[in-house]
Structure formats: structure tokens, C-alpha cells
């Protein structure tokens, strides 16, 4: 299993992805149920001097997995918007996309 890194780094990454997701909705990310749930879960599973919480590793793994999902979805949407097909294209435009030029016909026909 790969190293998860710091729980604080994962927590900050989740909040960053929430900011990206809520930026499109136009409402502050701190007022979303997802933000409240993430903060409450991290607070409930923190290690204190009185107890060692075995569920912290499980929470950290789940949080890192969810962070990977959020990042992947955001990056997928960005790639999809950039490279999504724009419908039917002319032969000249397609040739230009791949770096070719169509031959010019003598007599003004092309």
C-alpha cells in the first residue's frame, strides 16, 4: 500500500476540492453539508492523549480515496471541456488539425 501522507494534508486537499466544486455553484463552501461532515469526521477521529483511535487510519484512507475521486472528476471535466467534439468539421479544418494541407487544384476549383 502506498503511503498516505499527513492527515492534515489530506484534510486541506479535501477542502481545496470543495472550494473548486462550490465555486461553480456560487455559494461558499463552508456552508455546505459536505464541509460540516468532513470537519466533524476529522475532529471525531483525531488522536488525543487519552486514547489512540484505531479508526483514524481507516478514516484517513477513506478521505484520501475520496480526495482522489474529487480530483479525478475535476480533471476529467476539464479535459472533457477542452477536447470534446464540436460537431462536423470541414475537410480543410480536419487537415489543419493534424498538420496537413489539402492540395490546391489548378483552374480555381480548390
Amino acid at each position: 500500500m502506498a503511503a498516505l501522507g499527513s492527515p492534515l494534508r489530506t484534510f486541506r486537499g479535501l477542502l481545496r476540492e470543495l472550494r473548486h466544486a462550490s465555486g461553480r455553484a456560487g455559494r461558499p463552501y463552508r456552508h455546505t453539508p459536505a464541509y460540516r461532515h468532513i470537519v466533524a469526521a476529522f475532529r471525531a477521529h483525531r488522536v488525543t492523549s487519552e486514547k489512540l483511535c484505531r479508526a483514524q487510519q481507516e478514516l484517513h484512507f477513506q478521505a484520501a480515496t475520496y480526495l482522489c475521486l474529487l480530483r479525478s472528476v475535476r480533471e476529467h471535466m476539464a479535459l472533457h471541456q477542452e477536447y470534446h467534439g464540436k460537431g462536423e468539421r470541414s475537410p480543410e479544418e480536419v487537415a489543419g488539425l493534424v498538420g496537413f494541407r489539402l492540395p490546391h487544384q489548378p483552374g480555381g476549383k480548390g
Side-chain angles (χ1 to χ4, degrees):
M1 182 172 109
L4 292 175
S6 166
L8 181 61
R9 186 176 191 157
T10 303
F11 179 70
R12 287 179 178 166
L14 283 170
L15 295 184
R16 187 178 314 112
E17 291 301 323
L18 279 177
R19 273 194 304 272
H20 284 293
S22 66
R24 291 183 293 244
R27 101 182 213 204
Y29 75 100
R30 289 184 184 246
H31 300 302
T32 61
Y35 173 80
R36 288 191 295 268
H37 174 73
I38 289 171
V39 170
F42 270 87
R43 283 184 182 156
H45 290 84
R46 67 179 170 209
V47 177
T48 64
S49 61
E50 298 171 0
K51 68 174 186 173
L52 176 63
C53 183
R54 290 176 51 201
Q56 183 187 21
Q57 296 296 338
E58 180 181 343
L59 172 77
H60 188 203
F61 180 75
Q62 288 177 351
T65 304
Y66 189 59
L67 175 60
C68 180
L69 171 74
L70 289 175
R71 274 189 190 142
S72 299
V73 167
R74 180 175 50 86
E75 291 171 1
H76 168 76
M77 291 304 295
L79 289 172
H80 182 72
Q81 286 179 350
E82 185 175 345
Y83 294 108
H84 183 65
K86 295 176 178 64
E88 191 74 23
R89 297 181 184 203
S90 68
E92 293 84 12
E93 188 179 358
V94 173
L97 285 174
V98 295
F100 295 122
R101 289 189 331 225
L102 292 178
H104 180 70
Q105 292 184 351
K109 292 190 172 186

